[in-house]
Amino acid sequence: AARAFVVLAEQAPQPLDLRLRLPALQRPLAVHAFAASRIEIDVEVRGAAAAGDEVVVADGVYTGTGSKNLDFGGKLITVRSASGDPAACIIDCEGSGRGFYFHSGETAEAMVQGFTIRNGYVTSSSPGSYYGGGVYVNGASPIIRQCTLNSNQTAYGAGAYIQDGAPQIVNCAFIGNAATTELKYGGGMFISTG
């Protein structure tokens, strides 16, 4: 049975005892809320969430090591903002790291929806090297929907770098991203097939 995890910003930890019905699933889900004053989204993505689960992130600005370099590790889950408004739910990489890294064969059953991913910056010593300042997809095919990639930087694909995968990038905006080397490959997005 699929589960939903609700990530709350700026509140004391408290479990919620709720039942809700998500239209796409047409069945009740148990909702578990995990909260911290400095939320780490990664705890839910890597730890608690299993195939088919949904991690719902409350509106706010998310910073720190657990809120960037988010790696689904092959899990077929959805990570989405509660409001669906990327202007209201922001992953700020603070000039070190990227928002999301897909490299474990994730399919279209893995989805990110409704975030602004900003201030990503990766180098050759970063996981996945200097590809994709905001999002790096390598050999995977997730869905990235209704996201804004803003002010990210790296050598190749500052907003997003796609390599040997077939992701769906749907209704996303690429604003102010910059390739940083003299070669300047893909300020907004770079797609490589080999």
Side-chain angles (χ1 to χ4, degrees), residues 9 57-62 87-91:
V57 181
D59 290 347
V61 178
Y62 295 89
C89 196
I90 299 166
I91 295 172

Side-chain angles (χ1 to χ4, degrees), residues 7 29 31 33 38 46 81 83 90 103 110 114 124 140 164 166 187:
V7 178
L29 295 177
V31 177
R38 185 174 203 185
R46 286 180 168 266
S81 67
S83 68
I90 299 166
H103 62 104
S124 60
D164 298 326

Side-chain angles (χ1 to χ4, degrees), residues 67-71 91 93 97-101 117-118 120-122 132-136 152:
S67 297
K68 59 186 170 187
N69 298 315
L70 300 171
D71 184 342
I91 295 172
C93 300
R98 67 176 57 85
F100 291 90
Y101 181 29
I117 302 162
R118 72 180 185 199
Y121 181 78
V122 291
V135 174
Y136 180 22
N152 299 293

Side-chain angles (χ1 to χ4, degrees), residues 21-125:
R21 186 173 296 275
L22 296 175
L25 298 174
Q26 297 300 312
R27 68 180 185 271
L29 295 177
V31 177
H32 305 280
F34 298 90
S37 60
R38 185 174 203 185
I39 192 63
E40 294 196 354
I41 301 167
D42 191 44
V43 171
E44 306 318 323
V45 173
R46 286 180 168 266
D53 282 355
E54 183 172 47
V55 178
V56 180
V57 181
D59 290 347
V61 178
Y62 295 89
T63 60
T65 58
S67 297
K68 59 186 170 187
N69 298 315
L70 300 171
D71 184 342
F72 281 31
K75 290 182 180 181
L76 304 179
I77 61 174
T78 295
V79 177
R80 68 174 180 85
S81 67
S83 68
D85 180 1
C89 196
I90 299 166
I91 295 172
D92 189 338
C93 300
E94 302 176 289
S96 176
R98 67 176 57 85
F100 291 90
Y101 181 29
F102 294 96
H103 62 104
S104 301
E106 292 88 352
T107 68
E109 293 180 54
M111 183 168 59
V112 171
Q113 181 174 347
F115 292 95
T116 289
I117 302 162
R118 72 180 185 199
N119 299 324
Y121 181 78
V122 291
T123 65
S124 60
S125 63

Side-chain angles (χ1 to χ4, degrees), residues 138-183:
N138 184 3
S141 300
I143 296 172
I144 301 168
R145 177 177 284 142
Q146 292 174 268
C147 289
T148 299
L149 293 106
N150 188 2
S151 301
N152 299 293
Q153 299 181 27
T154 192
Y156 298 92
Y161 187 92
I162 313 301
Q163 180 176 359
D164 298 326
Q168 298 175 49
I169 312 292
V170 182
N171 294 331
C172 292
F174 292 79
I175 303 166
N177 299 289
T180 56
T181 66
E182 59 272 349
L183 300 174

